Amino acid sequence: MNWIDTHAHLYSPEFDTDRSEMVTRAIRQSVNRLLMPNIDEDSIPGMLALEAEFPEECLPMMGLHPCYVKENVEAQLTIVQDWLSKRKFWGVGEIGLDFYWDQTFREQQYTAFRRQIQLAMEHQLPIAIHSREATRACIDVVKELHNGSLTGVFHCFSGTKEEAQEIIDLGFYLGIGGVVTFKKAGLDVLLADIDLQHVVLETDAPYLAPVPYRGKRNESAYIPLIAQKLADIKNLKIEEVAAITTGNAQKLFKTH
């Protein structure tokens, strides 16, 4: 079995004491591709350093996270644009809207989201969408700008069954992580009716660790725990979950 973690912040300070060992643990668990969404200009050096250490496994994306959109949004978007023009990235992310923490820069979040979708289409890259308390709004923006070839993943999907279907109809994937193992999350009920052809696996490490590590630091080696829960929900063998979800991630991010 081979696995892909489609969303992990492995450059985060939470891993400063054992970063190389943490990546090696993931590889030992056959999690052989680790996609790293960017946050802002400050996260770029650490992300690229990890890619340099593990060039086959640690694959960087480029983007400006909505929680880091401030009054200097134009300068930050220029940095994203410049990086995308000078080297290969595997996606544009983490981009989107976040109406949970702070809505001070709501309009700037919309500007950043739209602009980065345009950049993704220019560079023919998938997008990794952050949509906390904003799934409906993110779907609407994607619909507005979709050119027929835009694709990506709604990271940490937590919307309704209807929203899931709209996302699938747009040609996007649902990013499923540790939350599926939480008893009261309700994701198990929603996923029972969704074909795994529309799902990719992720950890969002160091956040949202699956049971039995809930509340502790998350890491990419825990992908099989998320997959086992999916296998239980869908009444499949874990090997089937691996084949389908890894195939989806390879198709989306072109990681063959």
Side-chain angles (χ1 to χ4, degrees), residues 8-33:
H9 303 280
L10 305 180
Y11 48 78
S12 293
E14 285 89 340
F15 298 113
D16 281 355
T17 58
D18 66 342
R19 197 179 323 277
S20 298
E21 293 85 347
M22 176 268 301
V23 173
T24 302
R25 278 195 294 275
I27 295 166
R28 278 202 213 103
Q29 291 293 326
S30 298
V31 188
N32 297 315
R33 296 287 184 275

Side-chain angles (χ1 to χ4, degrees), residues 1-255:
M1 286 186 293
N2 286 306
W3 303 101
I4 294 177
D5 185 351
T6 61
H7 198 108
H9 303 280
L10 305 180
Y11 48 78
S12 293
E14 285 89 340
F15 298 113
D16 281 355
T17 58
D18 66 342
R19 197 179 323 277
S20 298
E21 293 85 347
M22 176 268 301
V23 173
T24 302
R25 278 195 294 275
I27 295 166
R28 278 202 213 103
Q29 291 293 326
S30 298
V31 188
N32 297 315
R33 296 287 184 275
L34 315 169
L35 283 138
M36 302 182 294
N38 190 52
I39 296 293
D40 64 1
E41 64 177 315
D42 294 332
S43 54
I44 296 170
M47 180 175 71
L48 297 184
L50 194 52
E51 179 201 29
E53 186 178 354
F54 296 97
E56 294 295 315
E57 292 86 12
C58 293
L59 311 178
M61 300 190 223
M62 180 50 59
L64 175 63
H65 191 297
C67 290
Y68 292 76
V69 170
K70 301 289 186 284
E71 61 277 338
N72 67 339
V73 63
E74 289 298 335
Q76 290 291 322
L77 289 173
T78 298
I79 291 167
V80 170
Q81 184 174 348
D82 288 349
W83 272 106
L84 285 169
S85 68
K86 68 186 179 187
R87 55 149 289 162
K88 178 180 175 61
F89 289 93
W90 300 84
V92 175
E94 176 172 355
I95 67 174
L97 303 169
D98 189 305
F99 300 152
Y100 178 80
W101 290 111
D102 181 0
Q103 298 198 40
T104 307
F105 299 103
R106 188 183 177 105
E107 284 312 306
Q108 289 92 334
Q109 282 193 39
Y110 271 105
T111 297
F113 190 25
R114 288 191 173 99
R115 195 85 59 81
Q116 291 180 100
I117 288 174
Q118 298 284 5
L119 285 170
M121 292 191 293
E122 284 173 33
H123 292 276
Q124 298 180 305
L125 291 170
I127 57 177
I129 298 177
H130 174 107
S131 57
R132 191 163 190 192
E133 300 292 327
T135 304
R136 175 77 262 151
C138 284
I139 291 171
D140 290 344
V141 172
V142 170
K143 280 185 171 176
E144 167 199 327
L145 297 176
H146 207 308
N147 66 350
S149 66
L150 181 66
T151 186
V153 53
F154 273 70
H155 147 64
C156 199
F157 177 74
S158 61
T160 64
K161 189 175 175 181
E162 292 72 27
E163 287 167 341
Q165 191 56 54
E166 281 188 79
I167 288 164
I168 289 164
D169 290 344
L170 286 165
F172 276 65
Y173 291 87
L174 307 176
I176 302 300
V179 176
V180 75
T181 68
F182 299 174
K183 273 187 179 170
K184 295 181 181 175
L187 258 184
D188 52 346
V189 177
L190 182 132
L191 286 167
D193 295 326
I194 289 174
D195 195 303
L196 283 188
Q197 293 293 346
H198 309 299
V199 170
V200 293
L201 302 184
E202 61 178 36
T203 58
D204 201 20
Y207 316 109
L208 297 173
V211 174
Y213 300 104
R214 187 175 183 179
K216 298 185 170 69
R217 188 188 74 171
N218 200 3
E219 56 180 79
S220 294
Y222 299 161
I223 281 282
L225 295 172
I226 297 162
Q228 184 59 60
K229 179 64 176 180
L230 268 178
D232 295 343
I233 292 166
K234 307 297 286 183
N235 197 24
L236 295 170
K237 292 179 178 171
I238 194 168
E239 290 83 0
E240 293 175 90
V241 176
I244 296 168
T245 60
T246 298
N248 295 342
Q250 287 172 335
K251 182 180 172 187
L252 178 61
F253 291 103
K254 299 181 171 63
T255 62

